[in-house]
Amino acid sequence: MNDTYAVEICPGDALAEGGRGVRFEVTIDGRAMPAFVVRYGGAVFGYLNQCAHVPMELDWQEGQFFEGSGLYLMCATHGAMYEPDTGHCVGGPCRGAWLCKLDVEERGEGAGAVVVWLPDERIRPPANPGAA
Ligand code: FES
């Protein structure tokens, strides 16, 4: 049976525009994978926290995914730049590649909830819900 599950990651107001993201984990094929959500252009977006170049986590400090301008997600290791809304790499060693995008939804305003949809119960709650 192919149920989908929506799991709450954090309150909506935990994600500032172009600011710190919230990390969480998904388990895929029995393996825990880091993931994150960020806010950009007023909407929320989520990705596996894995560079398309080499499978390393992107954030340079925990939850810091945006580069200085707040316009791009940047991999701390070798500087790949990704569009926050599409996950498309527009600069760096993996230009043209894509982050693995998650199905994210925001419910309600302000202290509403950011939820991630997965095709089954492979998701775990964030270690630190609401961390900003
Ligand atoms: S590991 Fe991310 S740019 Fe190379």
Side-chain angles (χ1 to χ4, degrees):
M1 192 166 140
N2 252 351
D3 288 332
T4 55
Y5 293 86
V7 179
E8 187 171 329
I9 300 302
C10 62
D13 59 7
L15 296 176
E17 179 72 29
R20 288 179 68 110
V22 170
R23 295 166 49 107
F24 58 100
E25 277 189 349
V26 295
T27 304
I28 297 175
D29 295 334
R31 189 165 148 238
M33 299 282 293
F36 66 97
V37 287
V38 291
R39 183 179 300 282
Y40 175 77
V44 293
F45 299 93
Y47 298 97
L48 290 185
N49 189 2
Q50 189 172 82
C51 188
H53 169 224
V54 174
M56 300 188 70
E57 297 187 18
L58 299 175
D59 40 343
W60 51 276
Q61 283 183 358
E62 190 166 314
Q64 297 282 8
F65 295 96
F66 283 97
E67 43 68 66
S69 73
L71 297 177
Y72 296 97
L73 306 174
M74 188 173 79
C75 177
T77 306
H78 306 113
M81 306 271 276
Y82 297 93
E83 294 175 339
D85 49 349
T86 67
H88 190 215
C89 182
V90 294
C94 49
R95 180 189 286 265
W98 300 82
L99 294 176
C100 182
K101 195 170 190 178
L102 301 174
D103 190 6
V104 175
E105 174 191 350
E106 186 166 23
R107 295 176 172 171
E109 308 263 320
V114 174
V115 299
V116 171
W117 287 88
L118 283 185
D120 55 40
E121 287 181 306
R122 296 179 302 182
I123 198 166
R124 298 176 184 177
N128 187 12

